PDB file of all heavy atoms in Angstrom:
ATOM      1  N   SER B   8     113.101 129.745  90.247  1.00 91.00           N
ATOM      2  CA  SER B   8     111.715 129.406  89.949  1.00 91.00           C
ATOM      3  C   SER B   8     111.480 127.922  90.194  1.00 91.00           C
ATOM      4  O   SER B   8     112.431 127.144  90.285  1.00 91.00           O
ATOM      5  CB  SER B   8     111.391 129.744  88.498  1.00 91.00           C
ATOM      6  OG  SER B   8     111.901 128.759  87.655  1.00 91.00           O
ATOM      7  N   TYR B   9     110.232 127.548  90.269  1.00 94.00           N
ATOM      8  CA  TYR B   9     109.936 126.133  90.477  1.00 94.00           C
ATOM      9  C   TYR B   9     110.422 125.316  89.294  1.00 94.00           C
ATOM     10  O   TYR B   9     110.772 124.147  89.432  1.00 94.00           O
ATOM     11  CB  TYR B   9     108.434 125.926  90.717  1.00 94.00           C
ATOM     12  CG  TYR B   9     107.587 125.968  89.481  1.00 94.00           C
ATOM     13  CD1 TYR B   9     107.232 124.789  88.823  1.00 94.00           C
ATOM     14  CD2 TYR B   9     107.134 127.169  88.950  1.00 94.00           C
ATOM     15  CE1 TYR B   9     106.464 124.810  87.678  1.00 94.00           C
ATOM     16  CE2 TYR B   9     106.370 127.204  87.824  1.00 94.00           C
ATOM     17  CZ  TYR B   9     106.031 126.025  87.194  1.00 94.00           C
ATOM     18  OH  TYR B   9     105.269 126.056  86.059  1.00 94.00           O
ATOM     19  N   ALA B  44     110.986 129.558  99.131  1.00 92.00           N
ATOM     20  CA  ALA B  44     109.926 129.119 100.039  1.00 92.00           C
ATOM     21  C   ALA B  44     109.618 127.647  99.816  1.00 92.00           C
ATOM     22  O   ALA B  44     109.819 127.108  98.720  1.00 92.00           O
ATOM     23  CB  ALA B  44     108.669 129.948  99.813  1.00 92.00           C
ATOM     24  N   ARG B  45     109.099 126.989 100.830  1.00 94.00           N
ATOM     25  CA  ARG B  45     108.788 125.575 100.699  1.00 94.00           C
ATOM     26  C   ARG B  45     107.734 125.351  99.626  1.00 94.00           C
ATOM     27  O   ARG B  45     107.765 124.359  98.897  1.00 94.00           O
ATOM     28  CB  ARG B  45     108.293 124.994 102.036  1.00 94.00           C
ATOM     29  CG  ARG B  45     108.041 123.495 101.938  1.00 94.00           C
ATOM     30  CD  ARG B  45     107.790 122.825 103.287  1.00 94.00           C
ATOM     31  NE  ARG B  45     106.477 123.040 103.836  1.00 94.00           N
ATOM     32  CZ  ARG B  45     105.457 122.197 103.696  1.00 94.00           C
ATOM     33  NH1 ARG B  45     105.600 121.095 102.995  1.00 94.00           N
ATOM     34  NH2 ARG B  45     104.306 122.457 104.249  1.00 94.00           N
ATOM     35  N   THR B  47     107.446 126.684  96.854  1.00 95.00           N
ATOM     36  CA  THR B  47     108.068 126.616  95.531  1.00 95.00           C
ATOM     37  C   THR B  47     108.644 125.224  95.281  1.00 95.00           C
ATOM     38  O   THR B  47     108.428 124.625  94.225  1.00 95.00           O
ATOM     39  CB  THR B  47     109.180 127.669  95.424  1.00 95.00           C
ATOM     40  OG1 THR B  47     108.638 128.933  95.799  1.00 95.00           O
ATOM     41  CG2 THR B  47     109.712 127.749  94.013  1.00 95.00           C
ATOM     42  N   ARG B  50     105.795 122.792  94.686  1.00 95.00           N
ATOM     43  CA  ARG B  50     105.214 122.769  93.346  1.00 95.00           C
ATOM     44  C   ARG B  50     106.103 121.993  92.385  1.00 95.00           C
ATOM     45  O   ARG B  50     105.614 121.192  91.586  1.00 95.00           O
ATOM     46  CB  ARG B  50     105.013 124.196  92.826  1.00 95.00           C
ATOM     47  CG  ARG B  50     104.653 124.206  91.365  1.00 95.00           C
ATOM     48  CD  ARG B  50     103.615 125.216  91.004  1.00 95.00           C
ATOM     49  NE  ARG B  50     103.245 125.072  89.612  1.00 95.00           N
ATOM     50  CZ  ARG B  50     102.909 126.088  88.835  1.00 95.00           C
ATOM     51  NH1 ARG B  50     102.898 127.307  89.327  1.00 95.00           N
ATOM     52  NH2 ARG B  50     102.560 125.870  87.587  1.00 95.00           N
TER      53      ARG B  50
ATOM     54  P    DT D   7     103.659 129.848  86.142  1.00 68.46           P
ATOM     55  OP1  DT D   7     104.789 129.302  85.400  1.00 68.46           O
ATOM     56  OP2  DT D   7     102.530 128.989  86.584  1.00 68.46           O
ATOM     57  O5'  DT D   7     104.253 130.552  87.417  1.00 68.46           O
ATOM     58  C5'  DT D   7     105.381 131.402  87.255  1.00 68.46           C
ATOM     59  C4'  DT D   7     105.649 132.102  88.546  1.00 68.46           C
ATOM     60  O4'  DT D   7     104.494 132.805  88.988  1.00 68.46           O
ATOM     61  C3'  DT D   7     106.003 131.162  89.702  1.00 68.46           C
ATOM     62  O3'  DT D   7     107.401 131.250  89.856  1.00 68.46           O
ATOM     63  C2'  DT D   7     105.261 131.739  90.904  1.00 68.46           C
ATOM     64  C1'  DT D   7     104.680 133.034  90.361  1.00 68.46           C
ATOM     65  N1   DT D   7     103.385 133.470  90.914  1.00 68.46           N
ATOM     66  C2   DT D   7     103.354 134.576  91.714  1.00 68.46           C
ATOM     67  O2   DT D   7     104.346 135.209  92.002  1.00 68.46           O
ATOM     68  N3   DT D   7     102.113 134.927  92.175  1.00 68.46           N
ATOM     69  C4   DT D   7     100.918 134.293  91.902  1.00 68.46           C
ATOM     70  O4   DT D   7      99.866 134.693  92.365  1.00 68.46           O
ATOM     71  C5   DT D   7     101.026 133.140  91.050  1.00 68.46           C
ATOM     72  C7   DT D   7      99.785 132.368  90.689  1.00 68.46           C
ATOM     73  C6   DT D   7     102.239 132.786  90.599  1.00 68.46           C
ATOM     74  P    DC D   8     108.111 130.378  90.937  1.00 68.46           P
ATOM     75  OP1  DC D   8     109.497 130.210  90.475  1.00 68.46           O
ATOM     76  OP2  DC D   8     107.265 129.209  91.238  1.00 68.46           O
ATOM     77  O5'  DC D   8     108.128 131.312  92.227  1.00 68.46           O
ATOM     78  C5'  DC D   8     108.862 132.516  92.182  1.00 68.46           C
ATOM     79  C4'  DC D   8     108.654 133.243  93.488  1.00 68.46           C
ATOM     80  O4'  DC D   8     107.286 133.679  93.557  1.00 68.46           O
ATOM     81  C3'  DC D   8     108.886 132.367  94.716  1.00 68.46           C
ATOM     82  O3'  DC D   8     110.006 132.865  95.438  1.00 68.46           O
ATOM     83  C2'  DC D   8     107.593 132.475  95.523  1.00 68.46           C
ATOM     84  C1'  DC D   8     106.871 133.664  94.897  1.00 68.46           C
ATOM     85  N1   DC D   8     105.385 133.526  94.935  1.00 68.46           N
ATOM     86  C2   DC D   8     104.633 134.442  95.671  1.00 68.46           C
ATOM     87  O2   DC D   8     105.221 135.335  96.284  1.00 68.46           O
ATOM     88  N3   DC D   8     103.290 134.309  95.701  1.00 68.46           N
ATOM     89  C4   DC D   8     102.691 133.309  95.025  1.00 68.46           C
ATOM     90  N4   DC D   8     101.364 133.223  95.072  1.00 68.46           N
ATOM     91  C5   DC D   8     103.453 132.371  94.259  1.00 68.46           C
ATOM     92  C6   DC D   8     104.797 132.511  94.242  1.00 68.46           C
ATOM     93  P    DT D   9     110.411 132.174  96.856  1.00 68.46           P
ATOM     94  OP1  DT D   9     111.831 132.480  97.038  1.00 68.46           O
ATOM     95  OP2  DT D   9     109.924 130.786  96.874  1.00 68.46           O
ATOM     96  O5'  DT D   9     109.578 132.988  97.935  1.00 68.46           O
ATOM     97  C5'  DT D   9     109.637 134.399  97.908  1.00 68.46           C
ATOM     98  C4'  DT D   9     108.927 134.932  99.129  1.00 68.46           C
ATOM     99  O4'  DT D   9     107.501 134.912  98.904  1.00 68.46           O
ATOM    100  C3'  DT D   9     109.172 134.110 100.395  1.00 68.46           C
ATOM    101  O3'  DT D   9     109.458 134.982 101.466  1.00 68.46           O
ATOM    102  C2'  DT D   9     107.863 133.387 100.626  1.00 68.46           C
ATOM    103  C1'  DT D   9     106.851 134.354 100.017  1.00 68.46           C
ATOM    104  N1   DT D   9     105.627 133.693  99.507  1.00 68.46           N
ATOM    105  C2   DT D   9     104.409 134.187  99.884  1.00 68.46           C
ATOM    106  O2   DT D   9     104.276 135.143 100.621  1.00 68.46           O
ATOM    107  N3   DT D   9     103.335 133.524  99.370  1.00 68.46           N
ATOM    108  C4   DT D   9     103.365 132.422  98.529  1.00 68.46           C
ATOM    109  O4   DT D   9     102.321 131.900  98.129  1.00 68.46           O
ATOM    110  C5   DT D   9     104.669 131.955  98.171  1.00 68.46           C
ATOM    111  C7   DT D   9     104.818 130.777  97.279  1.00 68.46           C
ATOM    112  C6   DT D   9     105.739 132.606  98.671  1.00 68.46           C
ATOM    113  P    DA D  12     103.626 131.334 112.309  1.00 68.46           P
ATOM    114  OP1  DA D  12     103.330 132.214 113.449  1.00 68.46           O
ATOM    115  OP2  DA D  12     104.773 130.389 112.328  1.00 68.46           O
ATOM    116  O5'  DA D  12     102.318 130.463 111.984  1.00 68.46           O
ATOM    117  C5'  DA D  12     101.160 131.119 111.488  1.00 68.46           C
ATOM    118  C4'  DA D  12     100.232 130.082 110.896  1.00 68.46           C
ATOM    119  O4'  DA D  12     100.809 129.580 109.669  1.00 68.46           O
ATOM    120  C3'  DA D  12     100.070 128.834 111.777  1.00 68.46           C
ATOM    121  O3'  DA D  12      98.829 128.934 112.473  1.00 68.46           O
ATOM    122  C2'  DA D  12     100.063 127.665 110.786  1.00 68.46           C
ATOM    123  C1'  DA D  12     100.246 128.313 109.421  1.00 68.46           C
ATOM    124  N9   DA D  12     101.161 127.590 108.532  1.00 68.46           N
ATOM    125  C8   DA D  12     102.515 127.489 108.632  1.00 68.46           C
ATOM    126  N7   DA D  12     103.076 126.784 107.667  1.00 68.46           N
ATOM    127  C5   DA D  12     102.013 126.389 106.883  1.00 68.46           C
ATOM    128  C6   DA D  12     101.925 125.616 105.712  1.00 68.46           C
ATOM    129  N6   DA D  12     102.979 125.083 105.103  1.00 68.46           N
ATOM    130  N1   DA D  12     100.692 125.417 105.182  1.00 68.46           N
ATOM    131  C2   DA D  12      99.628 125.960 105.797  1.00 68.46           C
ATOM    132  N3   DA D  12      99.585 126.705 106.898  1.00 68.46           N
ATOM    133  C4   DA D  12     100.824 126.883 107.396  1.00 68.46           C
ATOM    134  P    DC D  16      93.592 111.875 105.680  1.00 68.46           P
ATOM    135  OP1  DC D  16      92.728 111.974 104.493  1.00 68.46           O
ATOM    136  OP2  DC D  16      93.045 111.562 107.024  1.00 68.46           O
ATOM    137  O5'  DC D  16      94.737 110.808 105.372  1.00 68.46           O
ATOM    138  C5'  DC D  16      95.665 111.111 104.335  1.00 68.46           C
ATOM    139  C4'  DC D  16      97.055 110.710 104.783  1.00 68.46           C
ATOM    140  O4'  DC D  16      97.440 111.464 105.939  1.00 68.46           O
ATOM    141  C3'  DC D  16      97.197 109.246 105.195  1.00 68.46           C
ATOM    142  O3'  DC D  16      97.993 108.666 104.187  1.00 68.46           O
ATOM    143  C2'  DC D  16      97.867 109.289 106.569  1.00 68.46           C
ATOM    144  C1'  DC D  16      98.417 110.692 106.619  1.00 68.46           C
ATOM    145  N1   DC D  16      98.628 111.349 107.941  1.00 68.46           N
ATOM    146  C2   DC D  16      99.938 111.621 108.381  1.00 68.46           C
ATOM    147  O2   DC D  16     100.888 111.274 107.664  1.00 68.46           O
ATOM    148  N3   DC D  16     100.119 112.247 109.573  1.00 68.46           N
ATOM    149  C4   DC D  16      99.072 112.618 110.312  1.00 68.46           C
ATOM    150  N4   DC D  16      99.312 113.243 111.457  1.00 68.46           N
ATOM    151  C5   DC D  16      97.734 112.351 109.880  1.00 68.46           C
ATOM    152  C6   DC D  16      97.556 111.724 108.704  1.00 68.46           C
ATOM    153  P    DG D  18     103.327 103.796 105.796  1.00 68.46           P
ATOM    154  OP1  DG D  18     103.447 103.995 104.338  1.00 68.46           O
ATOM    155  OP2  DG D  18     102.514 102.700 106.341  1.00 68.46           O
ATOM    156  O5'  DG D  18     104.796 103.684 106.422  1.00 68.46           O
ATOM    157  C5'  DG D  18     105.723 104.729 106.164  1.00 68.46           C
ATOM    158  C4'  DG D  18     106.600 104.929 107.386  1.00 68.46           C
ATOM    159  O4'  DG D  18     105.840 105.602 108.418  1.00 68.46           O
ATOM    160  C3'  DG D  18     107.125 103.649 108.001  1.00 68.46           C
ATOM    161  O3'  DG D  18     108.469 103.893 108.412  1.00 68.46           O
ATOM    162  C2'  DG D  18     106.189 103.401 109.183  1.00 68.46           C
ATOM    163  C1'  DG D  18     105.828 104.814 109.601  1.00 68.46           C
ATOM    164  N9   DG D  18     104.488 104.987 110.151  1.00 68.46           N
ATOM    165  C8   DG D  18     103.309 104.444 109.673  1.00 68.46           C
ATOM    166  N7   DG D  18     102.258 104.801 110.370  1.00 68.46           N
ATOM    167  C5   DG D  18     102.767 105.622 111.366  1.00 68.46           C
ATOM    168  C6   DG D  18     102.091 106.299 112.426  1.00 68.46           C
ATOM    169  O6   DG D  18     100.895 106.317 112.678  1.00 68.46           O
ATOM    170  N1   DG D  18     102.988 107.026 113.216  1.00 68.46           N
ATOM    171  C2   DG D  18     104.340 107.098 113.014  1.00 68.46           C
ATOM    172  N2   DG D  18     105.030 107.838 113.872  1.00 68.46           N
ATOM    173  N3   DG D  18     104.977 106.467 112.030  1.00 68.46           N
ATOM    174  C4   DG D  18     104.129 105.744 111.258  1.00 68.46           C
TER     175       DG D  18
END
Side-chain angles (χ1 to χ4, degrees):
Chain B
S8 78
Y9 78 96
R45 183 170 77 96
T47 308
R50 170 140 185 214

